[in-house]
Amino acid sequence: MGRKRDPTNLVKSGPGRKTKKQKPPQIPNALKNANTEDDDSEKKLSSRQKTRVKKRIQKKEEKMEIKKKKKEEKLQQKTKKESQKPGKFARAPVVSKKRKVEESEEESDDDEEDEEDSDEEETKPVKGYSDENKAWLKPSSKQPLMDSDESDDGESDGVAGDDFDDVGLSDDEEEDEDDSEESGDEDLLPVEKEAKKLEKKREKNKKLAEAELQTNIMDMEKYTLPSGQEVEKEDILCFIDNYPRIKEVMHVLADFKERREPGRSRQDYVRQLRSDFCTYYSYNDFLMEKIMSLFPLEIQEFLEANEVPRPVTIRTNTLKTRRRDLAQALINRGVNLDPIGKWSKVGLIVFDTQVPLGATPEYLAGHYILQGGSSFLPVMALAPQENERILDMASAPGGKTTYIAALMKNTGTIFANDANADRAKAIVGNTHRMGITNTIVCHHDGRVFPKIMKGFDRVLLDAPCSGTGVISKDEEVKMNKDERDILRCAHLQKELLLSAIDCCDAKSKTGGYIVYSTCSVLSEENEGVIEYALKKRNVKLVPTGLDFGREGFVNFQQNRYHPHMKLTRRFYPHTHNMDGFFVAKLKKFSNKIPGTGNTSADGEAEDESSEVTDKKSSEKNTKQTKNVKNSTDSDSDDEEEKGKSSKKDKSKNKWLEKKSNKKKFKPGQFKKFKSAEKSKK
């Protein structure tokens, strides 16, 4: 079986081979004490140990020289105290305190060598040390950056923040404190000294932090609004420093009942906040009031986002290349880019580029186009199909038109219209560069387009607007837009949307859709225009197909919109990192215009003929009653109304007779009966 070990008789194992070969540690002569060992037992030092001893001696000498120079400078400062004494809150020059840590060449197990290494690190000279700023330079031990305010000698290093601790102390008092600290800490190890310093600093920081918190809380609990003269004085400082009054007023409005000043209403605080925003961000009062009503809680985020430009985005032309290939080609040219997001398969966002994006070979070959991310959304909502007739009513400079053509794969026909002939030239250039062959470019007023052409399957209207969603591109909007401009834009948008609906064909097998979009965030140009179109035409709101974005307003201030307005989508710069945008999709379910009859060719002819007959009858009535002016006016109006009502009654009676006749006959017999009557006549 083998030998069994007796647990009762255990033999202690002696030193092994390696321990027998090891020699006892040798201590250098310079560090030996007189009482430890005799000179006879000493052995020769190695070359490395000799170099270490020399370095230590040199560093000690340097340290002593530095201390002597410091004392000399302090004496010089005392003599020049009256002429060159710094002010109460004067700050000393800040000196860089980066130190190089030398790695030890060999690791030793002796405690004495560890202490020597720590001494080396403490006495290393500071980088950038010169004779002019020796008084401000003190060697510091290994401490974190937040706690490295005091030096080894217990003096301040001249860093900002130490001025408040040392105010009122003379140079003699500082020297006495330094001597007392040095004398008390001589017996302590360097680690213990550092621990004491850290504790003192933590206590000081706690006291300062508590004092600051108390003052801030006392100020923020009840903020008193300034008077008119104080506002004028503080407005001057608005452009120099971050305006503290904005934060204080917003803090009070967050919990108005507890933090408000007695005798002040919420309107006073809101009025003060609006004026501060206007001066700080350079807005006019009208536009700031509109924006604050739109974003009551996130107003500052929206204003800050408008100060920063939106990221550069490009769209891949799928008729010529794929996004993966285009990205690889641009990366090889020094462009740093990423996909724009999961919602788009053709967009790329550019972070940094070493070449101009509008002059690369790929751009000139038509592989991509510079286009904002928000302008992808209306085309995605339109969802064009192949072999359709599509109208882009305000298409310059052609970004949306080229995207529609790419989705249609160059099939069907696209009518790219713009009211400005000069801007229409950009559409021609982009369509040629990107290899699009199914687009017809024209320039007409969009309000007159239904008289020129109708019967489109889908219509896209990116209406001209006030531009409140693209303030980062055009900063003049902040001061130039007023109430007249907003109402003028809203009136034009209503006219364009009605004409776009009239151009669309409700009987289209694949379409019958109208997409309305603006680069504005105001409800007058978005929900107000859609509400007007719902009342004036036979259309209804349908889902846009966009997965992200905020819902449109159903209730906004005193306005109440259609409940289906939730199907529209809003996009903001501070939430989606794109231009402010609004997208709505309408479905046309009838070509009839409410209150005017049919919109077909026959219906239009009937309306025109009825108007002619009405004019003739009115002329006859006026000729018969020329002598008496007052009576003629009223009689002619009454006769016109009677004539119109009689014609309507006749048309209704004919329609009812036909309907009743149809009911009498079986299906198919009424046509035979009608043809027989015609043959008899």
Side-chain angles (χ1 to χ4, degrees):
M1 291 294 290
R3 296 180 182 178
K4 291 183 180 180
R5 189 176 182 182
D6 188 4
T8 57
N9 299 326
L10 293 176
V11 181
K12 291 184 180 180
S13 59
R17 294 178 182 175
K18 292 183 179 180
T19 53
K20 290 177 180 177
K21 290 180 180 179
Q22 286 179 355
K23 297 178 181 179
Q26 296 177 358
I27 300 170
N29 293 330
L31 300 176
K32 283 185 178 181
N33 295 326
N35 300 327
T36 54
E37 292 181 0
D38 298 332
D39 296 335
D40 299 335
S41 62
E42 292 179 357
K43 295 183 180 180
K44 292 183 180 180
L45 298 176
S46 63
S47 59
R48 289 181 180 176
Q49 289 174 342
K50 289 178 181 178
T51 53
R52 286 180 185 174
V53 172
K54 289 179 182 179
K55 285 181 181 179
R56 289 176 196 132
I57 294 167
Q58 289 176 359
K59 285 172 184 175
K60 284 183 180 180
E61 291 176 355
E62 289 177 359
K63 192 174 181 181
M64 295 299 291
E65 289 178 0
I66 290 168
K67 286 183 179 180
K68 288 179 182 178
K69 288 179 181 178
K70 285 178 186 176
K71 290 180 180 179
E72 291 175 359
E73 287 180 357
K74 284 180 182 179
L75 293 171
Q76 291 176 2
Q77 286 178 1
K78 285 180 182 179
T79 56
K80 297 179 181 179
K81 200 171 185 180
E82 295 177 357
S83 60
Q84 296 181 353
K85 187 175 180 181
K88 187 176 181 182
F89 295 98
R91 294 187 178 181
V94 179
V95 183
S96 61
K97 295 185 178 181
K98 295 182 181 178
R99 302 168 185 271
K100 294 181 181 179
V101 179
E102 295 182 357
E103 297 181 355
S104 57
E105 296 177 356
E106 288 185 354
E107 293 182 355
S108 61
D109 297 330
D110 298 334
D111 296 335
E112 294 179 356
E113 291 185 2
D114 294 336
E115 291 177 3
E116 289 168 2
D117 293 335
S118 65
D119 293 335
E120 286 179 9
E121 291 174 357
E122 288 180 1
T123 56
K124 279 178 186 174
V126 180
K127 190 185 287 185
Y129 183 81
S130 62
D131 295 334
E132 296 177 358
N133 56 2
K134 285 178 183 178
W136 306 103
L137 294 174
K138 273 106 182 157
S140 63
S141 59
K142 290 183 180 179
Q143 293 182 4
L145 291 173
M146 295 297 293
D147 297 325
S148 60
D149 293 336
E150 295 182 356
S151 63
D152 292 337
D153 298 331
E155 297 174 354
S156 63
D157 291 337
V159 182
D162 293 334
D163 304 321
F164 298 97
D165 299 335
D166 297 336
V167 169
L169 292 176
S170 62
D171 296 333
D172 299 330
E173 291 175 352
E174 289 178 359
E175 287 179 359
D176 295 337
E177 288 181 358
D178 297 339
D179 296 335
S180 63
E181 287 179 1
E182 287 178 359
S183 61
D185 295 341
E186 283 179 356
D187 300 333
L188 298 175
L189 293 171
V191 178
E192 293 176 344
K193 292 179 184 178
E194 291 173 5
K196 279 189 175 182
K197 290 174 186 176
L198 285 171
E199 287 177 0
K200 290 179 182 178
K201 287 169 189 174
R202 284 171 185 168
E203 289 176 359
K204 286 182 182 179
N205 291 331
K206 281 182 182 179
K207 290 178 182 178
L208 291 171
E210 288 175 0
E212 288 176 359
L213 283 172
Q214 287 174 359
T215 54
N216 289 334
I217 290 166
M218 292 298 291
D219 293 339
M220 299 295 273
E221 279 180 355
K222 290 184 180 180
Y223 175 70
T224 57
L225 286 174
S227 61
Q229 294 178 355
E230 291 175 355
V231 170
E232 292 177 359
K233 290 178 182 178
E234 290 182 4
D235 286 346
I236 299 169
L237 301 172
C238 173
F239 304 98
I240 301 170
D241 196 3
N242 188 14
Y243 217 14
R245 193 167 62 204
I246 292 173
K247 295 182 179 179
E248 290 169 353
V249 173
M250 291 183 73
H251 179 74
V252 173
L253 290 172
D255 192 359
F256 185 70
K257 290 182 180 180
E258 296 182 359
R259 298 170 185 167
R260 74 187 183 97
E261 182 186 355
R264 294 279 191 173
S265 64
R266 181 180 284 273
Q267 293 179 355
D268 296 336
Y269 283 92
V270 172
R271 197 181 299 112
Q272 183 62 51
L273 183 64
R274 186 169 67 246
S275 66
D276 291 342
F277 277 140
C278 289
T279 52
Y280 191 73
Y281 293 103
S282 303
Y283 283 79
N284 60 14
D285 191 64
F286 167 77
L287 189 59
M288 182 56 65
E289 187 178 359
K290 289 285 184 184
I291 293 171
M292 287 181 73
S293 62
L294 281 168
F295 308 102
L297 300 176
E298 47 193 356
I299 174 67
Q300 197 164 12
E301 288 82 355
F302 178 79
L303 296 174
E304 289 291 340
N306 288 335
E307 301 299 316
V308 182
R310 302 277 78 76
V312 179
T313 54
I314 61 176
R315 181 180 58 80
T316 310
N317 183 14
T318 54
L319 296 174
K320 290 192 173 185
T321 185
R322 297 172 62 192
R323 184 170 71 169
R324 185 184 299 173
D325 300 336
L326 175 65
Q328 189 61 45
L330 292 176
I331 287 168
N332 293 337
R333 295 190 184 278
V335 181
N336 184 14
L337 48 81
D338 269 336
I340 196 171
K342 294 181 180 179
W343 54 273
S344 176
K345 296 181 180 179
V346 294
L348 291 168
I349 182 169
V350 178
F351 300 108
D352 186 19
T353 178
Q354 298 178 2
V355 293
L357 292 174
T360 60
E362 288 79 13
Y363 177 82
L364 299 174
H367 290 184
Y368 67 90
I369 185 172
L370 290 164
Q371 188 175 358
S374 56
S375 61
F376 293 9
L377 304 172
V379 180
M380 294 170 66
L382 187 67
Q385 305 297 320
E386 297 181 17
N387 300 313
E388 284 186 341
R389 291 179 77 228
I390 293 178
L391 171 64
D392 191 356
M393 191 169 277
S395 58
K400 299 180 185 68
T401 305
T402 53
Y403 194 10
I404 293 169
L407 293 174
M408 293 173 67
K409 298 179 182 178
N410 257 344
T411 60
T413 52
I414 302 171
F415 289 83
N417 177 63
D418 199 86
N420 192 348
D422 294 331
R423 294 192 71 196
K425 294 177 182 178
I427 308 171
V428 177
N430 283 320
T431 50
H432 281 300
R433 182 175 59 82
M434 301 188 78
I436 292 162
T437 57
N438 65 341
T439 302
I440 299 166
V441 181
C442 54
H443 62 92
H444 295 286
D445 188 355
R447 296 171 287 184
V448 192
F449 209 87
K451 297 179 182 178
I452 300 168
M453 193 176 295
K454 289 184 178 182
F456 292 98
D457 295 318
R458 298 170 195 261
V459 180
L460 174 63
L461 174 61
D462 186 17
C465 61
S466 60
T468 53
V470 289
I471 296 175
S472 60
K473 294 180 181 177
D474 186 11
E475 292 186 355
E476 293 181 357
V477 176
K478 294 179 180 180
M479 298 299 294
N480 294 344
K481 299 299 177 184
D482 56 1
E483 192 173 3
R484 286 184 178 180
D485 297 327
I486 303 301
L487 293 175
R488 193 183 298 114
C489 287
H491 182 70
L492 176 62
Q493 289 157 1
K494 289 174 183 177
E495 291 180 336
L496 288 171
L497 182 56
L498 292 183
S499 64
I501 293 168
D502 294 340
C503 289
C504 187
D505 185 13
K507 297 179 181 179
S508 173
K509 294 180 181 179
T510 58
Y513 294 102
I514 304 100
V515 171
Y516 173 79
S517 64
T518 62
C519 54
S520 175
V521 295
L522 302 179
S523 61
E524 290 87 351
E525 301 180 69
N526 298 328
E527 286 86 359
V529 177
I530 298 296
E531 184 73 17
Y532 179 81
L534 291 174
K535 292 177 181 178
K536 294 292 182 180
R537 295 291 185 271
N538 292 322
V539 291
K540 61 180 180 180
L541 283 165
V542 293
T544 57
L546 301 171
D547 298 334
F548 67 108
R550 295 189 183 178
E551 295 178 351
F553 296 130
V554 178
N555 301 325
F556 182 72
Q557 292 182 341
Q558 72 275 11
N559 299 317
R560 299 293 177 267
Y561 300 115
H562 197 277
H564 288 171
M565 206 67 71
K566 290 182 179 180
L567 299 175
T568 61
R569 286 289 175 268
R570 281 176 161 269
F571 303 91
Y572 299 126
H574 64 285
T575 55
H576 305 101
N577 198 19
M578 60 175 63
D579 296 328
F581 225 73
F582 175 81
V583 180
K585 188 173 183 180
L586 299 166
K587 168 70 175 173
K588 189 175 182 181
F589 56 84
S590 176
N591 287 328
K592 293 181 181 180
I593 299 173
T596 57
N598 294 329
T599 58
S600 59
D602 298 334
E604 285 177 358
E606 289 174 4
D607 293 336
E608 287 174 1
S609 63
S610 63
E611 288 176 2
V612 172
T613 55
D614 291 338
K615 285 180 182 179
K616 288 180 180 179
S617 62
S618 64
E619 286 175 1
K620 288 179 182 179
N621 292 327
T622 51
K623 284 178 182 179
Q624 290 175 0
T625 56
K626 278 184 180 180
N627 296 327
V628 187
K629 292 183 180 180
N630 296 326
S631 61
T632 52
D633 293 332
S634 61
D635 292 340
S636 62
D637 294 336
D638 295 334
E639 286 173 0
E640 285 178 4
E641 290 177 359
K642 287 178 183 178
K644 289 180 181 179
S645 62
S646 62
K647 285 177 183 178
K648 288 181 180 178
D649 293 337
K650 286 179 183 178
S651 61
K652 282 182 181 179
N653 292 330
K654 286 180 182 179
W655 180 74
L656 290 170
E657 286 175 2
K658 288 180 181 179
K659 198 170 184 182
S660 61
N661 290 330
K662 283 183 180 179
K663 287 181 180 178
K664 291 178 183 177
F665 296 98
K666 293 180 181 180
Q669 291 182 355
F670 181 71
K671 289 183 180 179
K672 292 179 181 179
F673 176 75
K674 205 171 183 181
S675 61
E677 283 185 346
K678 286 182 180 179
S679 61
K680 286 178 184 179
K681 290 179 181 179

